[in-house]
Structures are given as C-alpha cells and as structure tokens.
Amino acid sequence: MKRWLRSNALSVTMFGAFLLFLVLQSVFGWQTRNEELTQYGLGPEGYLAYLGTGHFAEAVFENWESEFLQMGGYVLLTAYLVQRGSAESKPEQSSDRRDDRPDHAKPDSPWPVHVRGLTLVVYRNSLSLALLLLFAGSFLGHLFGGTAEYNEQQALQSGAASISAWQFIQTSDFWFQSMQNWQSEFLAVGVLVVLSIFLRQHGSPESKPVTAPHAMTGA
C-alpha cells in the first residue's frame, strides 16, 4: 500500500483535495440556501435534499465546465501553437515526434497503436477529445442545473412561470455565469505560459531547469 501511495501520490492528493473541497462547498452552499429560504419565509431543507437542487448542480457544473474547456483547449492548442521560451510549449521547430509514428511502436505500446486505422486516429487525439467531452457534459449539467435554479428564483421572487433549458441558454444570466469562469481559466493558463519563460520552480515538470536560458523553449 505504501508503495502504491508513493507511486500515485500526485493523483491521490489532487482527487483527495477535490473531494474535500466539494464536500465543503456542498455544506456551505446548503447553509447559504437555507438562509435564503428563511428570508422568503420558507422552512430549511435537509442536506441530502439540497444535493439534488439546481443551486448545487449549477455551482458545481459551472466551474467544471470552465476547467475542462481550459484543459481541453490547452492540450489541443499546444499541439499546433508555440510560445518562444515557455516551458509550457514544445520547441518552435519541432514537428510530429518520430516515436508517435505506428512504425516505431514497441511490444508494450498501447493497443490502439497496433490496431491502427480509425482506432489509432481517435487514440492520437484521445486526451483532448476526452477533456472536451467532459466539458460538454459539464456544460449540460450547468445548463439544466442553472435552469432549475433560475426557475426557482423567479418563482420565489415574482411567481413567474418556469422556462425551458432552451430558453435559459438564451438569457444573459447563463452566459454571464459561463464567461466569468471561462475568462479566468484562460487568464491563468496564459500567465503560466508567460511566467514560465522567466521564472523557475526547482523540481517541477512545469518549469524549465533553473540553469536554462530564458530563450529555451520547452522543459
């Protein structure tokens, strides 16, 4: 077990932090929700009931959506675009790596490499595809969760009739929620790309070696 934990420490830590913060988000969101219900003269709802509300779903998926868009877009863009001197970029003159070609496959290479054809085409792009599919799923979660929350807020405040998800996606409210997250994600990545030209973090694969010149591109 110790050996497994040591070999998987990064992912265990990341997913552990994710679960911790998700639980804390749900607890504080539940408290916020009940405070809001109290203001409208309604009784509080239970924690488990809160987990099925649009209030919780909208808050969760709104953020997942932007994260997966950022990562999927970043993986895809770094395949074609370069930034001179950045540790986040491949070298300016690089072409497709020779070890990416099927004729350089090894016996222990992933099975799609040996199958080739359409299977290999999909596998060659599977990382960005998976991230963008997660973005699409999160986008839908945000849309439907946001629709439920919007309808409830409208009912509480003015007794207005409910709208459909198709109608909600056409509101400025939905796109305001999305854009405030999307812009921050791409800002963070852009800052990392540029700062990695001039700054270093010893031991991190996201940084160039400490002794590397600023003009050196890639790790």
Side-chain angles (χ1 to χ4, degrees), residues 35-36 47 55 74 92 97 99 103 138-139 150 155 173 205 211 217:
E35 289 171 3
E36 185 178 77
Y47 176 71
H55 186 276
Y74 187 56
E92 294 176 82
R97 294 175 299 192
D99 59 355
D103 53 331
S138 300
F139 184 90
Y150 180 85
D173 190 36
T211 56
T217 304

Side-chain angles (χ1 to χ4, degrees), residues 13-203:
T13 301
M14 290 296 102
F15 285 114
F18 158 70
L19 289 174
L20 172 63
F21 293 132
L22 182 63
V23 169
L24 289 174
Q25 177 191 346
S26 69
V27 171
F28 292 125
W30 172 51
Q31 294 174 347
T32 300
R33 165 86 167 173
N34 281 335
E35 289 171 3
E36 185 178 77
L37 291 175
T38 301
Q39 292 175 357
Y40 287 105
L42 301 174
E45 64 185 358
Y47 176 71
L48 292 180
Y50 170 71
L51 298 181
T53 64
H55 186 276
F56 179 67
E58 179 183 47
V60 170
F61 289 115
E62 177 186 335
N63 286 282
W64 289 12
E65 165 195 308
S66 60
E67 296 291 344
F68 289 126
L69 174 63
Q70 174 232 93
M71 295 307 299
Y74 187 56
V75 168
L76 194 58
L77 290 172
T78 52
Y80 301 99
L81 305 179
V82 298
Q83 173 58 56
R84 185 172 184 269
S86 176
E88 296 293 307
S89 170
K90 62 183 180 181
E92 294 176 82
Q93 303 303 321
S94 70
S95 57
D96 286 344
R97 294 175 299 192
R98 293 187 64 196
D99 59 355
D100 275 351
R101 300 209 305 257
D103 53 331
H104 285 80
K106 301 176 178 61
D108 58 349
S109 294
W111 66 268
V113 179
H114 300 287
V115 174
R116 303 193 181 190
L118 180 60
T119 302
L120 178 57
V121 172
V122 173
Y123 185 69
R124 282 171 62 92
N125 300 281
S126 56
L127 180 57
S128 59
L129 285 173
L131 290 168
L132 292 174
L133 283 173
L134 286 168
F135 159 71
S138 300
F139 184 90
L140 291 175
H142 173 204
L143 174 60
F144 291 115
T147 302
E149 175 63 9
Y150 180 85
N151 285 332
E152 182 163 356
Q153 288 297 319
Q154 291 295 101
L156 288 172
Q157 295 172 12
S158 62
S162 297
I163 65 172
S164 66
W166 175 245
Q167 290 173 307
F168 181 59
I169 202 175
Q170 299 176 62
T171 65
S172 57
D173 190 36
F174 174 79
W175 291 107
F176 170 71
Q177 294 170 8
S178 294
M179 294 306 120
Q180 66 181 335
N181 286 290
W182 293 12
Q183 55 86 12
S184 63
E185 296 298 338
F186 283 94
L187 171 64
V189 173
V191 168
L192 176 61
V193 167
V194 174
L195 289 183
S196 69
I197 299 173
F198 308 103
L199 306 180
R200 309 286 187 268
Q201 177 55 58
H202 173 67

